[in-house]
Structure formats: structure tokens, C-alpha cells
Amino acid sequence: MRRLSIFAFSCFTLAALAHTTSCRTSPRPTSEVDATTPVDATSASSAPADGGVPKLTAFASADDLGAYMKNLVREADEKRNAQKAKRLAAIEAGAEAGPDGLWGDEIGDAFGGGGLGLGDIGTIGHGTGTGTGQGYGAGSGKLSGPRPPAPRPAGAGASASITNTQVDGIDEGDIVKAHGDHLVVLRRGRLFTVHVGGGALAPISTVDAFGPGISPKGAWYDEMLVAKDTVVVLGYSYERGGTELGLFDIDAGGKLTYRATYHLRSADYYSGRNYATRLVGDKLVLYAPASFSARAEDPLAKLPALRKWSASASPSAFAGVLDPSRIMKPIVPDLFMTLHAVTICSLSTPELECTSRGLLGHSGRVFYVSSSAVYVWTTPFSWLTPRTGKDAGAPTTMPPRSYLYRLPLDGSEPSVLRAAGAPIDQFSFHEENGHLDVLVRDEGNGDGMGFAEGPTTSVSLLRVPLTAFTSIANVASPDAYTALPNVPGYALQNRFVGDHVLYGAKLERSAREPKRAERKLVAYRYASRSSAAAQALALDHDVERIEPIGSDALVVGSQGDDLVFSSI
């Protein structure tokens, strides 16, 4: 297990506070929306608060960002004071306070429609560091497949990735990598190299995954990448408050040598499903969120900044890597939001050089890297979204509360699309031939921490051309969704394999025997755009991992006390 995260509060606590009876509720009624035109503030709850056109724009400067936040606070305080006066007047008149009463407004002001901004809430009981298997399934402990990534420029020790990557040519963080004839292993805060050959394994080198003089207390070293003769270790330190990037040299003989450690100011990037890093050529791509409060004394203090570690390192050594002019303003302003930051660092320079691009939005998130862009899907936390309880349904019938951002890897301007539902994790995405396909369920909270492990709900496939992404947050057409069969259980797993998307789930242990016949894997030929192309395959075990092997797949799951592998 990678890291076990336990929140100091639960959605049931929030439900109790909000006087509701359930953490999972139904969406508001859908308004008729023309997918070809911008949406105004009346079309759904996640529309721009000012009623204007939802256009993607950046802050002009640090002063502009500060003034924007002060204005949000002023407007929120004015609204709250007006509602307090209304409530007091109602009490004096002996009338009942309505649903917009004083207490309800204060809860809304405290938590915000865009979510709690959980990035700064610590994780408790992490387990034992990186572990041997990476969490919940489909994102880790990967197999070698017959389709290796496209080769990168060869270096003295360059090796093809042994990670069963999602996108050819883009390596992903993992805990085991290859460098020539050596395996590089990240385990419990240490790096090991092992020579492979001659029918035997031979240990070669061992070093700490953290630098000399750095205390590992309160730190979690989660993943690594190998770029030519450089090993990059990614970790998060609660002791020092930020992401750690450790750089190590590895020679042809497998010897490891510590080079440097850099601290990136951020909140915890941890996801129970996704790795935070990708390697595109010699560029390290890193996603890290940060909670963002408009009431903060210094909003700039939350922006990503980088410093090189030394024994005398101080907070003043941090240098900003995200200029406010590269932060997109929130389309749905709120007092509490999340700053979603994508940082790109060059690994070909003597010193680590990084720049970031950021956007402010909802706290629920899933991040995916294609061969051309970084995608960040943001969605409001479902338990904080007021709903009527009358209109649960598939994403095709839901209001478009989510925003999907596209940040091109070539550095060109970001674009956005407004959509309904939420993806399960990064494996819900597939970009190919000028289109983006995303498997979505009717509600979800992204894959941060352990949020992806909830019960399965209605499933659809969203398919849009890349030209649908513009600076205007147009809504994906209802015709862009194809409703698909649901599967019972929880912790939905999904993966695009060849021309199909596969998905399945696992049943509660108490329900496994009586519902054994309900176990199934759904395979859908996504390019067909017809729900008739979905095929349900009966399984005698849960679906806990789906791994592509060329154009076929291996499905792994539990059957009682046994682990079962099914070829598809």
C-alpha cells in the first residue's frame, strides 16, 4: 500500500452539520443549454457568480490577484450581513427563517460551494511509506507490456520504461524503474539498485531517498523517475511543508550518488490512484494542488516556489515559479478554492529550472497527461453541492458543474470545456486522433486522497473533439455523451485498451456471495458512439486492476481469499 489517508472529518459529519440525511444526494434539475454558445449564470449552480460570460482569463499581476480576493471577501460579507438582517427581521416578526437562514449561510460561507480546499488538510495514519503495491489498483504495480513507449534520446544509461504507461512516450512515476541492466527500487525512504543478468540478481548500491542533513520525519517518498542518468525521487514533507524533489546520479555500473534536493512549496499532491509526475523527454511534469482562501492575509504565500536545500536554507530562499499572470481566474468564484498548479522542470540543466501554470477552481480534481497537453478536470465536492433529491441520473441528464482545463505542453494558452459528471481517475481519459474520450460517472469528487473509492453510479462516455476546447467555457453537448451499463459495487476501475474502454468494480465483502452473479466487466468500443457496442462479461471475481497487454488486457481481482487473473 502506498499511503493510507484518513481524514480528520467525514462527509457524514458534514451531512450532519448541514441537517441532511445522506452524503450522496441527487443533482439539481438540468436547464436547457445550447452546447455551441457560452452559458450564463442561470443555467446551473456552477455558473459564474457575476452572471457574465464564463471566459478563461488570467490575472494581470499580483496586485490584480490581491484586489480580486478582497473583492470576493467584500461581496461575501455584504451578502452574509444582508441575510443576517433578513433572519433577524424574520425572528422579530415571529416568522420562520427560510432555507437561506443565518446558520445555513454561515455554513455556506465557511465551506464554500467550490469545496473545502482540502489540499492543506493533513493525512493521518499513512501506513509504511511507499510500500510494495501502490494503493487501490489500476494505477500501479505495473506490468511490462509488448508496446513499449516511443524511444527518448539515448544517453549513456538511457533505458525504455518498464512501467506499463498510459501514454506511449510519457513515463510515469513508479517505485521500480530500469536503468540499463539495473533495476532501481524506491522502498521505505531508500533507493536500491539491483543488477539483472546471468540468471541472478545482485544488489549494487543503496542510498537514502533524502539528502544529507535532511530529516525524513514526517516525509513520504512516494515515486521516482529515471531520465537518462538522473534518478528523480518525489516526496512530500509535512515537517517542512512542501513537495521534495531529490536528484541522484546513476552510472553504468548502477552506483547511486546524491546530487541535490529541491523543495517546492505546495500542498500534498497525494492521490490513491494517480502518480503526481510524468516525464516528457527531459521535462519533468508535476501536478500539485494548494487550498486557497480569499481571506488569507497574503494570497501570494500559497503560490508555488522553489528553493535548493542546504543546511542553512530558510523560507527567504524560496523563489517563485508561478507568476500571477499565469494563473487563470476562477470561472466560479468562491471564498475557498483550490489552486491547481502544473509545474514543468528541465532535467537537462545543471540546476533545476521550473515554471508553473495555475488555475483556481473547484477542489475535486483528476489530472491526466497526453502526448500534447496536461488536462485538469475540476469538480465541486458532491457532499457540499446542494441538490433537490428528485433527479438523480446519468451524466447526460445532470447540470454541467465541472470544468475541464487543457494546458498544452508547448506552452500555448490554456483552454476549457464545461461538462457534467466526473471521471474516476486518470485512466478515465484517452486522447487520440484529435478527440478526447473521458469515462464519467454522475457524481464524484476526483481522485485526490482516497476519493475515487466510492460506490459506483451511472456511467457515460464523453467524447469531444479537441477543437471544443476554447477560451470560452462552452458546455459539452448532450450528444457528446453515451450512456453505458452500470456495474454494482464500489471502487470502480477503468482503462482504455486498444479500441475499447473497460470498467468494473468490487463488491462489499458481505455482499460478494449472494451477488456473485452480478460481478462483471463492461467492454465498450468507444469509437462506435453506440451503447449497443457495450458488452458485459461475467466474472467470478472482483475487478481491482485492469492492465493493458498490447491490444488485450489482464483483469485482476479477489475471489474470497484468492487473487484471480482473467485475460480479456
Side-chain angles (χ1 to χ4, degrees):
M1 183 171 290
R2 182 183 172 204
R3 285 201 269 160
L4 177 63
S5 303
I6 305 174
F7 287 106
F9 61 89
S10 70
C11 75
F12 299 101
T13 304
L14 294 175
L17 285 173
H19 294 178
T20 61
T21 58
S22 172
C23 289
R24 292 189 63 248
T25 50
S26 302
R28 290 177 177 170
T30 307
S31 300
E32 290 297 324
V33 176
D34 184 348
T36 63
T37 58
V39 184
D40 66 24
T42 62
S43 62
S45 62
S46 289
D50 61 4
V53 175
K55 187 173 182 179
L56 203 55
T57 57
F59 292 102
S61 63
D63 289 341
D64 183 29
L65 187 151
Y68 185 94
M69 296 303 157
K70 288 179 180 179
N71 188 55
L72 281 183
V73 172
R74 179 185 57 78
E75 290 179 349
D77 288 346
E78 289 177 353
K79 178 182 176 182
R80 182 177 60 180
N81 291 336
Q83 290 184 331
K84 283 182 179 178
K86 178 181 177 182
R87 173 71 182 273
L88 292 173
I91 292 174
E92 290 175 358
E96 281 283 335
D100 292 326
L102 174 64
W103 186 88
D105 177 63
E106 289 179 336
I107 288 294
D109 184 37
F111 290 130
L116 276 165
L118 296 176
D120 280 349
I121 293 179
T123 51
I124 302 172
H126 286 273
T128 55
T130 54
T132 56
Q134 291 288 114
Y136 299 98
S140 58
K142 300 166 183 175
L143 302 172
S144 296
R147 295 195 302 164
R152 294 185 295 273
S159 301
S161 174
I162 60 171
T163 300
N164 196 10
T165 55
Q166 181 178 8
V167 179
D168 285 351
I170 298 180
D171 202 7
E172 303 163 10
D174 211 330
I175 59 172
V176 180
K177 292 292 182 182
H179 180 268
D181 295 330
H182 299 87
L183 294 178
V184 186
V185 181
L186 175 63
R187 170 69 173 160
R188 293 181 180 244
R190 306 195 81 189
L191 278 174
F192 305 84
T193 57
V194 180
H195 182 265
V196 180
L201 300 177
I204 301 297
S205 184
T206 303
V207 297
D208 290 331
F210 45 91
I214 298 178
S215 170
K217 180 181 178 181
W220 305 91
Y221 298 98
D222 295 305
E223 57 190 89
M224 66 171 172
L225 287 159
V226 175
K228 296 184 180 179
D229 295 331
T230 298
V231 179
V232 182
V233 175
L234 184 78
Y236 188 83
S237 171
Y238 285 102
E239 188 79 7
R240 288 170 288 280
T243 296
E244 288 190 8
L245 291 165
L247 303 183
F248 299 81
D249 295 317
I250 181 170
D251 64 20
K255 179 177 174 56
L256 293 165
T257 306
Y258 171 77
R259 187 196 307 172
T261 296
Y262 292 83
H263 289 164
L264 179 69
R265 190 165 61 200
S266 74
D268 195 346
Y269 54 77
Y270 175 73
S271 163
R273 295 285 188 97
N274 202 353
Y275 288 103
T277 57
R278 303 290 189 272
L279 185 66
V280 184
D282 63 354
K283 303 294 185 184
L284 177 70
V285 180
L286 166 66
Y287 168 82
S291 61
F292 204 90
S293 170
R295 296 191 184 277
E297 288 187 17
D298 181 12
L300 298 180
K302 284 290 186 180
L303 302 190
L306 191 72
R307 73 175 178 183
K308 188 175 182 179
W309 167 259
S310 69
S312 59
S314 65
S316 62
F318 278 106
V321 295
L322 178 56
D323 189 272
S325 64
R326 291 176 59 82
I327 301 175
M328 311 313 294
K329 293 181 180 180
I331 294 177
V332 186
D334 201 352
L335 288 179
F336 294 87
M337 298 171 284
T338 290
L339 173 63
H340 303 273
V342 176
T343 300
I344 298 180
C345 303
S346 174
L347 297 177
S348 62
T349 54
E351 297 291 331
L352 199 63
E353 297 178 358
C354 304
T355 59
S356 299
R357 170 80 76 172
L359 57 96
L360 284 167
H362 296 310
S363 295
R365 94 298 183 175
V366 177
F367 131 88
Y368 158 73
V369 181
S370 75
S371 59
S372 65
V374 177
Y375 292 87
V376 180
W377 184 300
T378 68
T379 191
F381 286 134
S382 61
W383 63 75
L384 294 176
T385 306
R387 304 208 175 157
T388 64
K390 298 178 181 178
D391 54 352
T396 52
T397 64
M398 291 185 64
R401 293 191 176 95
S402 297
Y403 291 88
L404 174 56
Y405 296 86
R406 186 175 190 271
L407 288 68
L409 289 171
D410 63 9
S412 53
E413 289 302 306
S415 51
V416 66
L417 181 69
R418 192 171 169 191
I424 297 90
D425 55 27
Q426 76 278 15
F427 293 126
S428 304
F429 293 77
H430 180 70
E431 182 196 282
E432 185 179 44
N433 298 329
H435 284 79
L436 180 71
D437 294 276
V438 189
L439 190 73
V440 295
R441 48 188 173 186
D442 63 355
E443 68 175 46
N445 300 306
D447 65 2
M449 299 298 172
F451 288 147
E453 311 311 313
T456 62
T457 54
S458 299
V459 178
S460 295
L461 186 76
L462 170 66
R463 181 176 175 83
V464 294
L466 298 186
T467 54
F469 290 87
T470 68
S471 61
I472 303 295
N474 291 320
V475 178
S477 166
D479 294 336
Y481 298 85
T482 301
L484 298 177
N486 195 14
V487 293
Y490 69 103
L492 192 68
Q493 304 291 333
N494 60 151
R495 196 83 187 243
F496 283 85
V497 180
D499 295 331
H500 293 78
V501 59
L502 310 181
Y503 62 94
K506 59 183 179 181
L507 299 176
E508 296 284 355
R509 182 169 294 275
S510 61
R512 285 177 182 171
E513 290 309 313
K515 293 189 175 182
R516 190 169 179 176
E518 296 183 19
R519 287 173 168 149
K520 60 185 177 182
L521 177 82
V522 175
Y524 173 63
R525 189 182 293 273
Y526 60 85
S528 70
R529 300 299 312 279
S530 169
S531 58
Q535 181 181 3
L537 306 175
L539 296 176
D540 60 358
H541 61 83
D542 289 337
V543 177
E544 297 179 62
R545 288 178 54 168
I546 304 172
E547 289 291 349
I549 303 180
S551 59
D552 302 317
L554 186 69
V555 179
V556 185
S558 300
Q559 182 192 68
D561 294 330
D562 298 326
L563 188 64
V564 182
F565 298 75
S566 294
S567 59
I568 305 297

